[in-house]
Amino acid sequence: PGGNGRPPCRIRIAPDRCPHSATPMPVVTVTRRMHFNAAHRVHNPALSDEENTRLFGKCNNPNWHGHNYILDVSVRGPVDDRTGYVLDLGALKKIVEERAVNLIDHKNFNLDVPFMRGVIPTSENIVVGIWRELEPAIRPGQLVKLVMWETPNNYVEYTGE
């Protein structure tokens, strides 16, 4: 025995943590990066064409424009005793594909994406819409942050607030 009535620990599932330890598992954030392409027009139908052009510039192009988006999905939770994972990143990839990427990749946010219907498709609104699709499906762990890059210079972050 290891002096405490338990056998010595030979397999560690986390640093300084044996499977039979009373110490809580460390809480870790894991992130999966996903890519998608989509088109949109930033346009508020309640405003005049002139006001839309003034506010949104080239993003208000009536013939749409598109982006190659990068989406980082971060999930936080305790490291599982059995697997050593917070969440299997392959399982997270599948959730993100089914609940978001497959619905928006090579689509038009204004016309083709049900969760964006009636919403001005700014990056801010898109990331909130994606959050609402993903958050109920992510278990174990908790969705804690989405980072969505619209261009190499512009990104938005959302933490569910």
Side-chain angles (χ1 to χ4, degrees):
N4 60 3
R6 293 188 180 133
C9 186
R10 289 191 178 91
I11 298 174
R12 294 194 184 277
I13 52 174
D16 301 320
R17 176 106 180 21
C18 296
H20 52 265
S21 173
T23 307
M25 290 300 289
V27 175
V28 176
T29 301
V30 296
T31 302
R32 176 70 192 206
R33 177 163 284 182
M34 306 292 288
H35 300 262
F36 64 93
N37 305 308
H40 66 151
R41 179 185 187 200
V42 182
H43 180 84
N44 183 340
L47 303 176
S48 69
D49 288 342
E50 295 76 24
E51 186 70 3
N52 273 293
T53 300
R54 187 185 70 71
L55 284 172
F56 304 123
K58 64 183 180 179
C59 295
N60 184 247
N61 182 335
N63 295 316
W64 321 103
H65 70 283
H67 299 281
N68 299 318
Y69 292 91
I70 298 171
L71 179 67
D72 293 334
V73 180
S74 297
V75 176
R76 185 173 178 82
V79 176
D80 181 84
D81 274 339
R82 191 173 58 82
T83 65
Y85 291 155
V86 169
L87 171 69
D88 179 340
L89 288 174
L92 179 59
K93 176 186 176 193
K94 185 176 179 189
I95 292 166
V96 176
E97 285 175 339
E98 290 175 356
R99 307 275 307 217
V101 172
N102 292 348
L103 304 175
I104 58 183
D105 190 33
H106 289 87
K107 301 285 175 38
N108 183 314
F109 280 112
N110 301 76
L111 303 175
D112 304 322
V113 180
F115 69 81
M116 291 300 297
R117 193 150 292 125
V119 177
I120 300 171
T122 60
S123 292
E124 295 88 338
N125 286 334
I126 294 167
V127 79
V128 170
I130 292 170
W131 179 282
R132 290 176 178 162
E133 294 298 307
L134 295 179
E135 195 279 329
I138 295 181
R139 301 289 180 267
Q142 176 184 7
L143 183 61
V144 292
K145 182 164 68 170
L146 295 179
V147 177
M148 189 181 75
W149 290 83
E150 185 179 70
T151 72
N153 297 319
N154 300 328
Y155 70 91
V156 294
E157 293 184 10
Y158 186 60
T159 58
E161 299 171 7

